[in-house]
Amino acid sequence: RSTISDNFAIRFAGGLAHFANGQAHWYAEAQGLTHPYVYSLARTNDGLWICTGGEGIWRLHKGQMSRDSAFSQGDMPAMINRLLADSAGRLWAATESGLLTRHSEGSWHKVPSEGLPTTAISHLAEGRPGEVWVGTSAGLAKWNGATFEAYAPLLNLPINALFTDRSGMLWAGSGDTLFRIGADGVESLALIQGTILSLADDGFGNI
């Protein structure tokens, strides 16, 4: 679930449900969202952004669903794995061919991929201002505003989940191991069983 002030949206394999002012609104092909697989949601002042598994990025704004015009062009990736809206309101998109960012005038630009463990990015989390952490099947890396820096302690580990807590601490899940990454290094905690697929704050500062 992605919470938007007193409203919220839920993504489904068949589309998107948006709940506002006590009413539910369904968005699928008949409402303009022509791709059934919604992978991730992000909120900015420009609306609710929706990434799909085959038709790029869409936006829900004032009840109207529309496809971002940049993704009607042949050189843009069709499958978007994850969206991130950072604290400055900038939008980032994880794709199989690298990281995209949306500039203030509405155009999307590909971030140079040098330094990435692999170009296929599956997870995103915000770091310090101007920094974005990316999770891949071959490890973790940080975009510092100019280049990617691979995170050596987690190199070659598949990253299945990423989360930045309210204190700015980064958490990463790989297989059955949870990693806490801070300025002093990395700590690990192995689970008794299971694979980590998602991370979240419970509202009380616990992960």
Side-chain angles (χ1 to χ4, degrees):
R1 190 176 81 172
S2 177
T3 303
I4 310 165
S5 63
D6 58 344
N7 304 326
F8 62 91
I10 303 175
R11 60 185 179 90
F12 293 94
L16 176 77
H18 183 217
F19 294 82
N21 303 317
Q23 294 185 324
H25 303 272
W26 175 254
Y27 293 91
E29 185 173 0
Q31 294 76 32
L33 183 59
T34 57
H35 198 278
Y37 295 103
V38 175
Y39 284 0
S40 179
L41 305 173
R43 169 69 173 166
T44 69
N45 291 334
D46 296 326
L48 177 67
W49 297 88
I50 302 136
C51 76
T52 69
E55 291 188 356
I57 294 175
W58 296 67
R59 183 177 67 149
L60 178 62
H61 184 58
K62 296 181 178 179
Q64 299 297 313
M65 181 71 68
S66 61
R67 187 183 184 192
D68 190 302
S69 59
F71 290 87
S72 62
Q73 303 172 17
D75 60 341
M76 294 294 283
M79 188 168 80
I80 310 297
N81 295 325
R82 194 77 57 175
L83 288 175
L84 170 70
D86 67 20
S87 55
R90 193 170 189 178
L91 200 60
W92 303 82
T95 79
E96 294 296 303
S97 57
L99 182 65
L100 303 176
T101 184
R102 185 176 185 267
H103 288 191
S104 57
E105 79 280 4
S107 62
W108 288 87
H109 296 266
K110 186 175 181 180
V111 171
S113 297
E114 289 77 8
L116 277 175
T118 176
T119 57
I121 299 173
S122 53
H123 295 84
L124 299 172
E126 185 175 9
R128 291 181 296 182
E131 295 181 349
V132 175
W133 288 91
V134 303
T136 76
S137 61
L140 183 67
K142 179 179 67 177
W143 171 254
N144 62 18
T147 187
F148 278 108
E149 302 172 8
Y151 188 68
L154 271 62
L155 193 61
N156 296 320
L157 292 180
I159 305 300
N160 301 322
L162 274 182
F163 181 73
T164 303
D165 68 20
R166 62 184 66 184
S167 71
M169 187 74 69
L170 180 72
W171 300 79
S174 178
D176 64 354
T177 304
L178 178 64
F179 296 94
R180 184 172 65 176
I181 301 162
D184 297 329
V186 58
E187 298 178 56
S188 63
L189 173 66
L191 303 182
I192 297 175
Q193 62 180 2
T195 298
I196 300 170
L197 299 177
S198 183
L199 297 168
D201 188 318
D202 66 358
F204 298 97
N206 303 310
I207 302 300

